Amino acid sequence: MIKNIFISIIFVLLLLIFVGCANENQMNLPPDRSLLEFLPSVSERYLGDSDYFHIIDNIERESKGDEEIAILKGEVKDNEAAITKDNFNFEIILTVDADKIVQTYNGSRLNESNFEHLVLLKLPLEVGNIWTFTSKDFYGSKWKVTGEITDINETGDKITVKYSTKDGYYEERVLQKGRGVTDFLRLLVFKNESTLTGYHVENETMITTEKRSSPVDALKIPVAYYNLILGFDQAWSGYVKQENDDLLKFISEGSPAYEKIKAVPRDANTAIEFIRFYPYELTEKGSILSIKVVEVFKSNDEETFENKVLYQITIEKGVAKIVDFETIQ
């Protein structure tokens, strides 16, 4: 009996030593080269909602043990004409080790994550890869966050990642080789009201990859209109499934669009998921802006389908609203 106990203790000790050595070997591995490619190497200007924008004007790189670190420094600004506001400095730190990129940042007013740090990207770089981590929000509360690679373009130089919590909050980023995050989107909740906000590199307008089956060419449109249609499309599933009425916030009350939405059948068993959209034509007549888009959805049998839709948009009290929409051929 004593001999068996002794053997069991020795086995446990050997197991602990083996695990410790394995972890030590993992820690001693150099930063993964495929992850290093997604660190930014050029300064960029990022546009957001209304007159928000920020600039990264300095990138520093340093090696620290088994980690490679990129320090991004910049300013949050306001490009609203005839109004002068203070600029705000920020610093984003990207740390790469053997299997992940971790983001932390310091400063104020940067339209970024709800969390102090994020596991931005993690190996393997494959669609469907899921990881979890714990982080604090800026009120000090701890959250379990799930990251998932949802899309990789055909050339492998753009990866879309979604980060979510159990309460429905989510963020989404597109990471591009040599440029880092080129698109960012998050759910903003304030006083029980929710909307979508974010930013994108000045010459980019899509929070999706360029992979598409539609023959039309994507058109760059003003970010306010892009975010409006994106929010409308993303809220569609929740509205049809009777989960919420967020869809109504994107349309003008009493408009033809409002009447069409109120007439839509709502069924909790309906399964439809928005994937992406592509603007391809924009015209303006008086106070109405018309935008034609291709929208891609996924049905409950995992098949994707596309619709071409014409949106008519106007500005109400400084906010873009949909006044009408129709499916076109």
Side-chain angles (χ1 to χ4, degrees):
M1 179 69 176
I2 295 176
K3 181 178 179 181
N4 290 339
I5 294 174
F6 180 75
I7 292 174
S8 297
I9 292 173
I10 295 296
F11 176 77
V12 171
L13 290 174
L14 289 173
L15 182 62
L16 290 175
I17 292 172
F18 174 79
V19 172
C21 291
N23 288 339
E24 184 177 354
N25 289 336
Q26 176 72 17
M27 292 175 61
N28 290 333
L29 291 174
D32 182 81
R33 290 187 177 183
S34 63
L35 293 175
L36 289 173
E37 291 182 332
F38 286 92
L39 292 181
S41 58
V42 294
S43 298
E44 305 264 20
R45 172 185 167 112
Y46 300 82
L47 305 180
D49 301 323
S50 186
D51 294 299
Y52 169 91
F53 75 100
H54 69 265
I55 297 174
I56 292 177
D57 51 22
N58 185 45
I59 300 175
E60 300 175 2
R61 293 283 291 268
E62 63 180 56
S63 298
K64 185 179 294 185
D66 302 319
E67 299 175 336
E68 183 78 13
I69 299 172
I71 303 172
L72 320 180
K73 296 181 179 180
E75 290 182 312
V76 179
K77 301 193 175 186
D78 191 318
N79 63 5
E80 187 174 355
I83 296 180
T84 301
K85 296 185 177 182
D86 292 334
N87 297 337
F88 293 82
N89 297 325
F90 66 86
E91 181 180 83
I92 298 175
I93 301 173
L94 302 175
T95 304
V96 184
D97 62 19
D99 71 338
K100 63 184 176 297
I101 302 177
V102 176
Q103 170 183 290
T104 58
Y105 75 90
N106 303 303
S108 60
R109 286 197 62 186
L110 178 60
N111 186 13
E112 245 289 345
S113 177
N114 260 13
F115 305 107
E116 291 180 348
H117 79 274
L118 279 173
V119 178
L120 207 61
L121 190 59
K122 189 175 176 66
L123 297 179
L125 302 184
E126 300 173 355
V127 173
N129 179 28
I130 297 175
W131 60 93
T132 59
F133 56 94
T134 300
S135 186
K136 288 183 179 180
D137 63 23
F138 289 92
Y139 298 99
S141 300
K142 287 186 177 181
W143 292 87
K144 183 178 179 180
V145 185
T146 299
E148 180 182 3
I149 297 177
T150 60
D151 200 3
I152 300 177
N153 71 342
E154 293 179 352
T155 57
D157 64 348
K158 283 187 180 181
I159 296 180
T160 303
V161 185
K162 184 175 183 178
Y163 315 82
S164 58
T165 58
K166 286 186 176 180
D167 68 338
Y169 174 80
Y170 69 91
E171 304 174 359
E172 192 171 35
R173 290 170 177 78
V174 172
L175 293 93
Q176 184 174 345
K177 288 183 179 180
R179 302 179 73 183
V181 176
T182 56
D183 286 279
F184 169 71
L185 181 75
R186 71 183 176 109
L187 183 68
L188 179 65
V189 180
F190 180 70
K191 293 183 178 180
N192 296 321
E193 294 290 330
S194 61
T195 188
L196 294 168
T197 185
Y199 60 78
H200 61 276
V201 173
E202 186 170 21
N203 294 322
E204 302 278 342
T205 60
M206 292 189 179
I207 190 100
T208 59
T209 63
E210 294 172 354
K211 181 180 178 181
R212 61 182 184 268
S213 58
S214 171
V216 301
D217 293 325
L219 174 74
K220 292 180 174 62
I221 63 175
V223 66
Y225 305 125
Y226 176 80
N227 286 340
L228 172 67
I229 298 174
L230 179 63
F232 180 82
D233 282 338
Q234 290 183 326
W236 183 267
S237 178
Y239 181 81
V240 173
K241 293 192 291 185
Q242 303 181 37
E243 295 175 348
N244 56 63
D245 291 334
D246 291 348
L247 191 70
L248 300 177
K249 295 184 297 186
F250 300 98
I251 59 181
S252 176
E253 188 172 355
S255 67
Y258 189 88
E259 298 302 321
K260 290 177 181 179
I261 289 300
K262 298 297 286 186
V264 169
R266 303 179 71 179
D267 183 353
N269 295 318
T270 300
I272 184 173
E273 178 186 355
F274 169 70
I275 300 177
R276 60 180 69 90
F277 82 95
Y278 310 102
Y280 66 92
E281 184 178 309
L282 183 151
T283 58
E284 188 172 0
K285 186 175 181 181
S287 61
I288 301 296
L289 188 76
S290 298
I291 300 176
K292 293 181 180 180
V293 307
V294 174
E295 297 174 339
V296 185
F297 289 86
K298 183 187 293 184
S299 63
N300 54 358
D301 56 3
E302 296 299 313
E303 290 189 3
T304 59
F305 61 94
E306 295 182 350
N307 290 326
K308 286 187 177 181
V309 181
L310 168 64
Y311 287 98
Q312 293 184 344
I313 299 170
T314 191
I315 302 296
E316 295 181 357
K317 298 180 180 179
V319 178
K321 294 280 188 177
I322 297 170
V323 294
D324 202 359
F325 62 91
E326 62 177 316
T327 304
I328 57 178
Q329 298 299 318

